[in-house]
Amino acid sequence: MKVVLLLASAAGLIALGGAAQAADLPVKAKAVEYVKVCSLYGPGFYYIPGTDTCIKLGGYLRAWTLVNSSSYGLNPDFGVGGAANRYTNDYTMRARQHLSIDTRTATEYGVVRTYFESVFQWTTGTYTGLGNGSTVYQSIGGVSAPNNANPGAVAGGTVGVWYAFIQFAGFTIGKAGSQFSTPWGEYPGNYSELPGSGPWDPVNQFTYTANFGQGVTVSFSAQDQVQHDTSNLWNISAASPAGLATGTYGGNDIAGTIAPDLIAMLRVDQAWGLFQASVAAHDNHAAYYGATELTGHPDDKWGWAGQLALSIKNIPTGPGDSINITGVYANGASRYTFNDYMSSTYARYGGASLAGAYQSVGLAGLSDSVFVAGAGQQLTTTYGFNGAFNHNWDPHWASSIFGGFGAVRYNSTAKGYICNAFVTGLALSSGLAGCNPDFNYAVIGTKTSWTPVRNLTFVAELSYSMLDQKYAGGSTVTLPLQSGIGKPAAVYELKDQNSLALQLLVQRNF
């Protein structure tokens, strides 16, 4: 019996010892997922761990100041900027953080791509008058604070979604660069956004692009016209003296969406440069003549726009130099000539040369169509061009000379509608014979950039604008009180106007 117990104890000790030794043995660790470089789509891409999807994170931080302008990136030709008085900003400042996320996955149908781009920014606002010797602060973010009563509202912080789209098997779905636009967008030489998603002209769209090789592509697109492609549908019957005094020739009578803009584009992009032809069809869909459905409405009227663009690269002036040229003609689709970042109304003030005139003013307004109660739409014709010469002095310094011109022409019926309101509402001294709402708008400028180290750039850009209004020389108008910009009810000379603006910025890309 004792022998059996001893053997059993020995066996137990051996088992315990074996268990202890097994516990001490090293266990194979779980494999660690390391982030791997994805070389399929260019530098900056990495595989998302555990997937075959590649991702690239990027962006920039920019800080800049606009001198002699109350609006970001625009000359002071409207609003408090155009007033050219103590309400006008001598400078406007903005800080922006930009972020982008680009993902790509190889499939049997080709690459599936998603792209997202957003900004967080803070911008100086403006003060407008209340008509009682006090002012209210209007921020870019939409916050108001009378006399800075709320220190937290002294400027506007905003979040923007610029791009958000999916690309698959030739289709682009979501908010992406307009297929009508050129690769340089509306900015052939001056400083602008240059995201990896395409031209700086984002709009919601459904697009198919066919690639024929050798740099030849054709795109067909249906894109959202809301805000992006519509300027004004003016109901002249709703015009008011207060609106006319700002270049607003009627009530903006845009109805709800019914048809997207239809785009077709041909592009040839090769080593020598680029050629592009684009056309667009734009439906002008107005609301009602009056306050209710019972007042009726004008029928829809389709407008159109056509564009030709040319870029010449590797010119003899130096490596990387280029010449970019774009020309557009539109009827009833004015935003394709005057891009969607520009103002659609102009009221710029200056000194007067006529006896009895308090000051001078240049008034102008952009529209897709105009109409009066009971009548159909009269489409507005616009045309213009822009271009630039871009030169690299060396790897660190670069300069551009750029310019653009746009013309607005109303037909005789539209002029009759506008001039009847204009002469009656603002007492035009030269009467109907001296009334002509046509106008030209031009900008010329130059930009110089310095990049002391990679991805850090300092820029100075100077631009000069010219508003060429077509009202008869020597004409005057009697404008009502405009307390928001401090202009009294008085007689003003109608006169061409000019303005100058300077942009200074620094940007760090990553």
Side-chain angles (χ1 to χ4, degrees), residues 157-458:
T158 59
V159 177
V161 176
W162 282 358
Y163 290 85
F165 63 82
I166 296 172
Q167 288 180 324
F168 171 68
F171 290 93
T172 299
I173 306 168
K175 192 176 185 185
S178 170
Q179 301 304 311
F180 188 89
S181 186
T182 59
W184 55 87
E186 288 83 9
Y187 303 96
N190 44 331
Y191 202 77
S192 65
E193 305 303 322
L194 294 173
S197 52
W200 172 232
D201 195 17
V203 58
N204 282 315
Q205 64 188 264
F206 182 89
T207 296
Y208 177 74
T209 299
N211 190 332
F212 295 97
Q214 303 298 316
V216 179
T217 57
V218 174
S219 295
F220 300 95
S221 179
Q223 70 180 37
D224 184 15
Q225 65 166 251
V226 176
Q227 292 186 317
H228 185 272
D229 297 326
T230 302
S231 61
N232 295 297
L233 303 186
W234 272 328
N235 181 354
I236 307 299
S237 298
S240 67
L244 292 167
T246 66
T248 303
Y249 292 145
N252 199 1
D253 202 15
I254 302 171
T257 59
I258 188 171
D261 282 14
L262 304 176
I263 312 292
M265 182 270 287
L266 165 68
R267 181 179 295 172
V268 179
D269 193 350
Q270 297 179 344
W272 59 264
L274 173 143
F275 169 79
Q276 179 176 319
S278 309
V279 293
H282 172 80
D283 181 39
N284 292 289
H285 182 57
Y288 299 102
Y289 292 128
T292 71
E293 300 168 355
L294 299 176
T295 61
H297 61 80
D299 292 337
D300 285 19
K301 206 164 186 179
W302 281 84
W304 65 276
Q307 174 182 261
L308 294 176
L310 179 68
S311 178
I312 303 174
K313 303 176 183 178
N314 301 318
I315 56 180
T317 53
D321 288 8
S322 64
I323 296 174
N324 299 327
I325 304 171
T326 306
V328 183
Y329 185 94
N331 183 241
S334 298
R335 276 301 183 201
Y336 289 96
T337 304
F338 288 74
N339 75 57
D340 41 301
Y341 308 112
M342 297 179 65
S343 177
S344 63
T345 57
Y346 299 89
R348 173 73 184 181
Y349 291 82
S353 57
L354 287 179
Y358 169 67
Q359 288 180 348
S360 67
V361 63
L363 296 177
L366 176 71
S367 66
D368 292 334
S369 77
V370 302
F371 59 91
V372 295
Q377 298 186 66
Q378 302 295 318
L379 299 184
T380 305
T381 296
T382 59
Y383 56 87
F385 65 88
N386 63 24
F389 167 60
N390 305 297
H391 175 61
N392 296 297
W393 301 100
D394 60 35
H396 302 288
W397 289 91
S399 295
S400 298
I401 300 173
F402 57 86
F405 168 87
V408 177
R409 299 293 182 262
Y410 293 94
N411 65 30
S412 59
T413 302
K415 287 179 180 177
Y417 295 159
I418 294 172
C419 288
N420 282 328
F422 198 84
V423 170
T424 303
L426 298 184
L428 178 66
S429 64
S430 55
L432 288 174
C435 178
N436 185 353
D438 294 347
F439 73 95
N440 301 324
Y441 186 80
V443 175
I444 59 172
T446 182
K447 175 209 74 180
T448 294
S449 62
W450 175 50
T451 305
V453 296
R454 185 181 179 186
N455 294 328
L456 177 66
T457 301
F458 296 83

Side-chain angles (χ1 to χ4, degrees), residues 4 13 16 43 63-64 76 81 90 103 109 143 149 172 190 242 258 315 332 334 357 368 377 414 421 466 487 496:
V4 173
L13 290 173
L16 288 173
W64 71 106
D90 281 344
T103 72
Y109 297 99
V143 181
T172 299
N190 44 331
I258 188 171
I315 56 180
S334 298
D368 292 334
Q377 298 186 66
M466 295 154 282
K487 296 297 181 182
D496 297 347

Side-chain angles (χ1 to χ4, degrees), residues 3-21:
V3 173
V4 173
L5 290 174
L6 289 172
L7 290 174
S9 299
L13 290 173
I14 292 171
L16 288 173
Q21 290 175 10

